Amino acid sequence: MRKTIRIVACLALLGTTAVSCQKEIDVNPMPTTEQTTETINVVYYINGEVFRVTLNESEWDTYRNGCS
């Protein structure tokens, strides 16, 4: 009986130690404004050279309205 109590107490101590060493994970992080901003990747060619530019929504609207 005494041996069983010691084994149970040791297992409880090891279990508590293992749980306290676990890293806390943020399951639902708050989005930042950078994550919610939409970007548009534009690829264009001039004389066979490839050019790439990333535009946000307002820059894309300016580009699109200026080209029409």
Side-chain angles (χ1 to χ4, degrees):
M1 176 95 169
R2 194 174 234 190
K3 191 174 184 180
T4 306
I5 293 174
R6 285 185 185 176
I7 291 173
V8 171
C10 287
L11 289 175
L13 179 63
L14 288 173
T16 305
T17 305
V19 169
S20 67
C21 291
Q22 297 295 317
K23 181 179 179 181
E24 292 183 23
I25 299 173
D26 190 9
V27 176
N28 208 0
M30 296 295 292
T32 63
T33 55
E34 293 174 332
Q35 291 175 336
T36 58
T37 304
E38 184 178 341
T39 58
I40 295 96
N41 293 319
V42 180
V43 179
Y44 58 96
Y45 300 87
I46 298 176
N47 294 333
E49 287 189 61
V50 180
F51 296 92
R52 291 180 172 86
V53 65
T54 302
L55 305 173
N56 62 29
E57 287 184 68
S58 64
E59 292 171 333
W60 171 249
D61 289 337
T62 303
Y63 172 79
R64 187 178 50 169
N65 293 333
C67 292
S68 55

